[in-house]
Amino acid sequence: MTFGFAPPATASLTTATGGASRHGRLLEPSEWTAAGVPLLRNPREVVSGLHSRHSPVPSTAVIAVLGPEERLVASASFVRRSASADGWEYRNALLSRLRRVIPHDLRRRTPVRTAVLMYCRDGDERWTEEDGAWMWGLRDACTLHGLRCGAYITLTRGGWQVLGEGRGGRHPSSESRPERLGSMTEVAPLPLSTAGGMVEPLRRAAAR
């Protein structure tokens, strides 16, 4: 299980105060591998299903929650706005979307649902510090929402790649047109409780 490393997109990723990365909170590839992230049984199906639902373009993050048998429970997508965001900001953005589309599982002793993140970006499939910041954000958001931290997937011009697993494919890519949805089926909507005790249907539309 190996990672490639992409060179910085700019001449310097350091700050003027001591050479710290512009992504203050990130996970190195070795840390991600050591975390024991569960393997996807059928990553191509997961990637194709999310691509069909959200039609991501570069800088789009797609967060999805999977239940048993990798059935899609909820998903949301959004475009990264900040050029200087780090893992903490990514965590907050992911947690905000999770709270909109699915109730937390913090009362469970063991997580039963898994969150995976697909990020569409420029460049190639090799690990970057931006990927490390998304990994940090995904892991922390899952902890705060009572979910199991699942795979981190990049979608680039060359195709898709599950970082840390060495699995990937050429289609779909960041330039692909969405196809018809396959067998990645959503379960019935779950109720989402509000502070006032009211219940509203679980929203599955992409959050943009």
Side-chain angles (χ1 to χ4, degrees):
M1 191 176 296
T2 59
F3 285 85
F5 292 85
T10 59
S12 174
L13 293 180
T14 60
T15 64
T17 58
S21 166
R22 65 189 175 96
H23 297 292
R25 300 169 181 85
L26 58 80
L27 291 178
E28 297 286 347
S30 59
E31 295 175 300
W32 183 254
T33 302
V37 175
L39 301 179
L40 287 171
R41 183 182 58 190
N42 193 336
R44 185 183 302 276
E45 182 177 301
V46 171
V47 172
S48 297
L50 295 179
H51 183 266
S52 296
R53 283 180 169 81
H54 295 277
S55 306
V57 296
S59 296
T60 301
V62 181
I63 182 73
V65 179
L66 307 180
E69 305 300 323
E70 291 188 0
R71 290 173 62 88
L72 181 63
V73 177
S75 64
S77 65
F78 60 97
V79 176
R80 179 179 63 84
R81 302 293 184 186
S82 174
S84 60
D86 68 2
W88 184 81
E89 292 185 51
Y90 291 163
R91 185 276 308 275
N92 290 344
L94 293 172
L95 189 59
S96 172
R97 270 67 185 188
L98 286 171
R99 287 171 173 167
R100 293 179 188 180
V101 299
I102 194 167
H104 67 74
D105 277 346
L106 294 173
R107 292 185 178 87
R108 294 183 178 272
R109 298 181 63 180
T110 304
V112 297
R113 295 183 289 198
T114 302
V116 301
L117 176 62
M118 184 174 74
Y119 183 54
C120 183
R121 61 168 172 77
D122 295 319
D124 58 29
E125 73 280 1
R126 292 176 294 175
W127 182 90
T128 66
E129 288 191 336
E130 183 182 29
D131 294 325
W134 279 114
M135 289 171 169
W136 191 97
L138 174 62
R139 185 187 66 175
D140 218 42
C142 288
T143 298
L144 295 174
H145 208 63
L147 301 171
R148 180 186 295 110
C149 179
Y152 173 70
I153 304 160
T154 58
L155 191 69
T156 63
R157 182 176 300 178
W160 57 272
Q161 177 82 7
V162 184
L163 294 191
E165 295 186 19
R167 293 191 290 176
R170 294 183 178 179
H171 187 84
S173 71
S174 61
E175 298 181 333
S176 300
R177 291 184 177 182
E179 296 182 350
R180 293 182 59 185
L181 294 176
S183 58
M184 189 178 179
T185 308
E186 292 178 330
V187 298
L190 298 174
L192 182 63
S193 298
T194 63
M198 299 295 291
V199 175
E200 61 181 3
L202 175 64
R203 292 175 290 178
R204 301 188 185 281
R208 297 190 181 274

